Amino acid sequence: MRERIALVDVNNFYVSCERVFDPTLRGRPVVVLSNNDGCVVARSQESKDLGVKTGMPWFKLQDQARRWGLVAKSSNYELYGDMSARVMEVLGRHGLWQEVYSIDESFVGLAGTAADLLALATRIKEDVVRYVGVPVCVGVAPTKTQAKLANHIAKHTPTLGSVCSLDSLADQDVWALQQRLPVTGLWGVGARSGERLRAEGIDTIADLRRADPSKIRKKHSVVLERTVRELNGVNCLPPTAERADRAQVMYSRSFSTPVSSWEELDQVMNLYTQRATARLAAQGLRARVLTVSAGTSRFSGEASFPSRSVALPSPTADPLLLTRYAVSALRSVTNPGTQYVRAGVMLSGLDRDTEHGGQEQLDLFGSPGEGEQGSLFDDAGPGTAAPSGAAGGDGGSSDPGRSSGAGDGQQLNALLAAVKGKFGEAAIGLGRGGFSEEPEWSMKREFRSNRYTTEWDELPTVRA
Amino acid sequence: MPGADRFDAASRVGEGGAGTGQPTQAHGFPSPAQDYFHGGLDLNRLLVRDRTSTFLMRVEGQGMAADGMMDGDEVIVDRSLHPRDRSVVVAVLDGELTLRRWHERPEGIILATDDGAQVTRVGADTELVLWGVVTRSLHHV
């Protein structure tokens, strides 16, 4: 009996969701575009084979697309979110425990003999495609880092049939694989760490596995030390929900038309902060730090990504307070007349609001995009990295630091959630966030397929 | 604090109200039926066997009208079920989602509309891509 960790992820998740309801997309090159149909965030295998890269602007691809028969789809958040919830529920039924890592990835705890583990992993793969209709890869191993590696092997070794359990591979085969794969193939080892390791003669995963963890810690980081230990079968990654790097709530979007006045930016910040706060409150969390950011276009000369972090006087989920801080913080780093194409709000330094009995909840959207596609919400854009010196600022020129009264806004959040639940998302909002007409800068989704699973008038049709 | 009453009243609407059939005002005596009320009839419990594998589709065409699945009706499709002889299924034919009767014949599977206008022999000429099994029709009367 061995306890193991499976990492399950959906292959080309967004494209796979589209294909469930539109069989004509099967076998064809398909891409899914970011907000406002700007650039490629997800690709089918056929698109990858054609050399289409993530991040390519759609307008540069359009001509070839016609020649290739490549189909572009706008991001269909409603569909992907619903399909993700289904996948995660199916996965959860198979595990001793489950830890949702991103919209299309989850860790699942398994136990059994080597043969059991392989059978369980195969069953998981078959069930997800049978119940939800999307294909997955499953990697099973003693630690998360190894599970991620096993998943990678499953994905790139056609004979394994999308399932790889390290216990079912011969030790020498695992070593041979690790000798071939570069360290940058590992979870959390980026190009920069890869370069530094290479300078020390550590090229492959096998090299890193043999390295002395305490030396790695001194020369590099605790994170990399953990990677070494995990490669040697020692579990040292805590559950995702408890990890510091996950502790943020983000709301970031591109606009369909540039915004250049403070009035419009205020409106944007108002709405985005309320959305972020609603997510925060739904998870029973409070924030200590608020970071706002904006960005100008990459295609019009020198792009700039102003941002500012504000330390909040006390942990809070108060939408009024946070909105005031966000509006004035963004004003302090932007200039009227400049054309901004995106903006975002990040809430970090989170803690659990135990007073109000905050409930643990699966967070499908809050995690940094680690999968193959760009993050669903364009998170982690270049504008979000605030200069560290900015943290602990005073919250901008005016003093917005007056709370909305009792507690830290939980009552207000509950009220807003109740009204929205009853009368719809646009029914109520604070200040400039409370408008019922689609503002001009809201998103463009020209090639969006139907919201097949969430809207009565957009159901798939079946011909009789 | 002046606003507090409003918030309290509103949060009661959120918790009770239309969803539960509970009175939203907390004045006076509680209804004697309160202890016996555990929520109204939930159509999801009747119609959805497994929410992860259940999808709704809208019927286009009259080929299955004889069995009450008419143009414009919705059908409930469960992807996880295996069809039996005479099940109604959703199958992918020529890249299209189609509604068909599943006939198990000695010579193989036949997919057909009940009006006989569409008949497809699975095997030699057609690859079968079964999408799901229809469990209910939501007929508009």
Side-chain angles (χ1 to χ4, degrees):
Chain A
M1 189 80 166
R2 311 156 194 222
E3 290 217 359
R4 292 293 182 257
I5 299 173
L7 176 63
V8 188
D9 71 346
V10 182
N11 305 342
N12 310 319
F13 179 57
Y14 300 173
V15 173
S16 296
C17 290
E18 299 284 349
R19 281 178 169 167
V20 170
F21 300 96
D22 184 355
T24 63
L25 298 176
R26 294 179 194 176
R28 292 183 69 174
V30 181
V31 295
V32 173
L33 304 174
S34 64
N35 292 330
N36 298 316
D37 300 338
C39 56
V40 173
V41 290
R43 307 160 293 161
S44 71
Q45 188 57 47
E46 296 80 3
S47 305
K48 293 175 187 172
D49 294 343
L50 285 166
V52 176
K53 297 273 183 282
T54 297
M56 274 187 178
W58 171 238
F59 73 85
K60 286 189 181 167
L61 262 175
Q62 256 165 325
D63 288 340
Q64 288 142 297
R66 215 160 297 139
R67 264 207 322 280
W68 288 336
L70 181 141
V71 182
K73 289 280 173 187
S74 305
S75 306
N76 189 341
Y77 310 119
E78 294 84 353
L79 179 64
Y80 310 150
D82 179 68
M83 295 293 273
S84 171
R86 291 169 188 256
V87 170
M88 295 310 162
E89 188 172 335
V90 172
L91 295 181
R93 293 174 187 170
H94 287 283
L96 302 171
W97 51 266
Q98 177 183 29
E99 199 182 300
V100 175
Y101 186 72
S102 73
I103 190 165
D104 64 343
E105 290 175 287
S106 177
F107 291 106
V108 176
L110 303 179
T113 64
D116 293 341
L117 292 163
L118 191 63
L120 281 168
T122 307
R123 180 76 195 274
I124 287 175
K125 180 195 78 171
E126 288 168 356
D127 266 11
V128 177
V129 77
R130 184 170 139 213
Y131 280 67
V132 191
V134 293
V136 298
C137 279
V138 187
V140 184
T143 67
K144 285 182 180 172
T145 303
Q146 288 174 319
K148 182 86 179 171
L149 185 62
N151 179 288
H152 177 89
I153 296 167
K155 212 169 254 118
H156 295 94
T157 317
T159 49
L160 291 177
S162 303
V163 172
C164 173
S165 174
L166 288 192
D167 292 288
S168 296
L169 295 183
D171 281 347
Q172 65 262 33
D173 289 345
V174 176
W175 270 111
L177 276 163
Q178 294 183 348
Q179 252 148 0
R180 278 213 311 275
L181 293 168
V183 279
T184 45
L186 281 172
W187 195 25
V189 181
R192 211 177 307 163
S193 320
E195 246 166 67
R196 291 181 57 198
L197 285 167
R198 210 166 303 128
E200 297 163 34
I202 297 172
D203 287 308
T204 67
I205 293 173
D207 294 338
L208 188 65
R209 183 172 159 183
R210 277 189 295 254
D212 178 351
S214 53
K215 276 187 190 154
I216 291 287
R217 180 187 193 136
K218 271 183 213 123
K219 278 187 157 171
H220 298 270
S221 63
V222 186
V223 177
L224 205 58
E225 181 207 2
R226 283 187 188 148
T227 304
V228 177
R229 294 195 190 280
E230 286 245 325
L231 280 175
N232 286 288
V234 181
N235 265 308
C236 35
L237 290 180
T240 320
E242 291 166 24
R243 279 207 331 260
D245 60 345
R246 188 188 163 79
Q248 53 180 258
V249 170
M250 180 89 151
Y251 199 92
S252 170
R253 289 282 195 283
S254 307
F255 317 137
S256 58
T257 54
V259 158
S260 58
S261 73
W262 268 349
E263 284 69 31
E264 281 173 295
L265 281 175
D266 288 355
Q267 192 181 40
V268 169
M269 268 302 104
N270 219 307
L271 189 65
Y272 287 13
T273 310
Q274 287 177 53
R275 296 253 165 98
T277 309
R279 272 188 214 166
L280 189 75
Q283 295 176 61
L285 297 169
R286 300 179 301 186
R288 285 198 175 82
V289 179
L290 170 122
T291 306
V292 297
S293 62
T296 60
S297 173
R298 254 168 269 208
F299 302 116
S300 60
E302 196 69 47
S304 71
F305 301 100
S307 74
R308 172 166 205 156
S309 288
V310 179
L312 302 161
S314 64
T316 184
D318 180 351
L320 280 182
L321 183 71
L322 289 167
T323 301
R324 279 185 215 146
Y325 269 112
V327 166
S328 65
L330 193 71
R331 277 200 180 211
S332 72
V333 291
T334 51
N335 302 307
T338 304
Q339 305 244 305
Y340 296 98
V341 296
R342 58 180 296 129
V345 178
M346 186 172 82
L347 300 169
S348 53
L350 306 185
D351 70 10
R352 200 152 290 283
D353 182 9
T354 43
E355 248 171 273
H356 294 88
Q359 216 183 342
E360 181 81 43
Q361 186 179 313
L362 295 182
D363 175 17
L364 297 179
F365 305 108
S367 71
E370 159 72 24
E372 286 190 36
Q373 48 239 337
S375 166
L376 187 60
F377 291 118
D378 272 1
D379 287 353
T384 56
S388 52
D394 59 7
S397 42
S398 66
D399 173 25
R402 200 117 307 158
S403 161
S404 59
D408 44 19
Q410 287 296 344
Q411 289 183 324
L412 186 50
N413 278 318
L415 169 66
L416 290 174
V419 173
K420 285 180 177 180
K422 207 160 178 194
F423 301 108
E425 191 59 38
I428 192 168
L430 301 169
R432 292 176 191 276
F435 40 78
S436 50
E437 262 176 58
E438 279 279 281
E440 213 186 319
W441 42 264
S442 102
M443 220 158 33
K444 183 174 100 187
R445 298 198 281 179
E446 199 179 327
F447 315 112
R448 201 202 68 210
S449 48
N450 282 359
R451 293 168 290 186
Y452 298 110
T453 59
T454 56
E455 295 294 324
W456 281 105
D457 52 2
E458 296 185 27
L459 297 180
T461 51
V462 58
R463 198 182 294 275
Chain B
M1 135 136 240
D5 291 342
R6 274 211 333 265
F7 291 151
D8 283 344
S11 60
R12 267 202 300 278
V13 172
E15 289 158 12
T20 59
Q22 296 291 315
T24 54
Q25 295 298 318
H27 304 298
F29 288 102
S31 155
Q34 206 164 23
D35 291 342
Y36 299 91
F37 188 80
H38 303 293
L41 291 175
D42 178 2
L43 283 173
N44 281 314
R45 283 183 57 193
L46 177 73
L47 301 175
V48 178
R49 203 188 56 86
D50 185 329
R51 60 186 177 152
T52 65
S53 58
T54 300
F55 295 85
L56 280 134
M57 295 192 179
R58 187 155 288 121
V59 179
E60 200 179 274
Q62 294 286 24
M64 298 296 279
D67 202 14
M69 287 161 278
M70 299 186 183
D71 190 78
D73 287 348
E74 292 87 16
V75 286
I76 300 177
V77 186
D78 190 333
R79 286 188 57 92
S80 69
L81 299 178
H82 294 291
R84 292 173 306 179
D85 186 35
R86 300 204 44 80
S87 290
V88 177
V89 301
V90 173
V92 179
L93 296 173
D94 294 325
E96 194 176 50
L97 299 174
T98 62
L99 193 64
R100 295 289 186 271
R101 182 83 56 187
W102 171 277
H103 298 279
E104 291 178 0
R105 298 277 165 79
E107 65 271 25
I109 305 295
I110 290 171
L111 294 172
T113 51
D114 282 353
D115 63 0
Q118 302 289 333
V119 180
T120 310
R121 236 166 272 280
V122 177
D125 44 336
T126 321
E127 195 204 347
L128 170 67
V129 183
L130 180 68
W131 201 97
V133 175
V134 175
T135 57
R136 296 273 180 170
S137 155
L138 305 181
H139 176 55
H140 295 231
V141 291

